[in-house]
Amino acid sequence: VHMLTTAAFNALLKTLEEPPSHVVFVLCTTDPQKIPETILSRVQRFDFHSISNADIQKRLAYICEREGFTYDEEALELVVRHARGGMRDAISELEQLSVSGGGAITVDVARDVLGEVSASTLERMSLAMANRDVPTLFAQVESLVEVGRDLLQFTRALAGRLRDVYVVAA
């Protein structure tokens, strides 16, 4: 809704002041400060936040038990980390894993389906960066591309690894 023009906001205001009895308006935005005060004063506001990792993991475990899937806790942790606070994304990924694993949610299947990069690969990349070993860096990236890994996912994992190393060093 924050992308509406001034004229569109004025039209919406008129409709909100005299709404049809059978209509409920749901206005969604990621930028609420751009909505005029005249609109905000006439609506109820609900702020949504990401779901905690613990709640998502608990729900995934519940789904696995209800569906008769066997699962590894570590595999569910990977799914939760990839979902980044989104229950719908977590459940979709769980469904993909259940199909790929034939009803078994294992760490190996999770790493493969989710494009997870191994800790040893992250360690080699970190060391190559620290040593300014550009040929090794390019070779590692090439090997990730060859096996079809998601480079955005890899970049997130590497940034997390470097952050952890920095925290430990500090």
Side-chain angles (χ1 to χ4, degrees):
V1 74
H2 67 270
M3 306 261 315
L4 294 177
T5 64
T6 302
F9 273 126
N10 289 334
L12 177 62
L13 180 61
K14 179 68 174 162
T15 307
L16 289 175
E17 288 174 341
E18 300 171 15
S21 61
H22 63 285
V23 175
V24 175
F25 293 97
V26 179
L27 310 175
C28 300
T29 184
T30 56
D31 212 352
Q33 62 273 10
K34 290 186 177 178
I35 300 174
E37 188 59 39
T38 54
I39 301 290
L40 289 175
S41 67
R42 289 167 173 81
V43 299
Q44 291 180 352
R45 180 174 170 168
F46 299 96
D47 291 320
F48 295 101
H49 304 282
S50 296
I51 301 170
S52 75
N53 288 352
D55 287 343
I56 293 174
Q57 186 162 349
K58 185 175 165 184
R59 186 64 179 176
L60 294 180
Y62 171 79
I63 291 170
C64 286
E65 290 165 6
R66 295 285 299 196
E67 295 296 325
F69 301 149
T70 59
Y71 64 93
D72 297 335
E73 287 293 329
E74 189 178 349
L76 294 186
E77 289 170 8
L78 285 173
V79 172
V80 169
R81 192 167 59 240
H82 279 256
R84 296 190 340 252
M87 184 66 79
R88 182 185 64 202
D89 292 342
I91 292 172
S92 294
E93 289 175 353
L94 182 68
E95 183 180 14
Q96 288 178 346
L97 295 178
S98 70
V99 170
S100 297
I105 315 298
T106 65
V107 177
D108 293 334
V109 171
R111 283 187 179 133
D112 188 46
V113 170
L114 299 175
E116 187 75 11
V117 179
S118 70
S120 61
T121 300
L122 293 175
E123 185 176 338
R124 281 192 302 273
M125 291 295 284
S126 300
L127 288 172
M129 290 174 74
N131 295 327
R132 299 175 189 256
D133 184 358
V134 176
T136 299
L137 290 169
F138 278 112
Q140 287 294 313
V141 170
E142 181 183 16
S143 68
L144 291 171
V145 170
E146 284 177 3
V147 295
R149 294 290 186 235
D150 181 359
L151 292 183
L152 180 59
Q153 182 64 34
F154 161 72
T155 304
R156 285 189 187 120
L158 183 60
R161 172 67 172 233
L162 294 174
R163 182 193 62 235
D164 292 346
V165 168
Y166 179 74
V167 168
V168 168

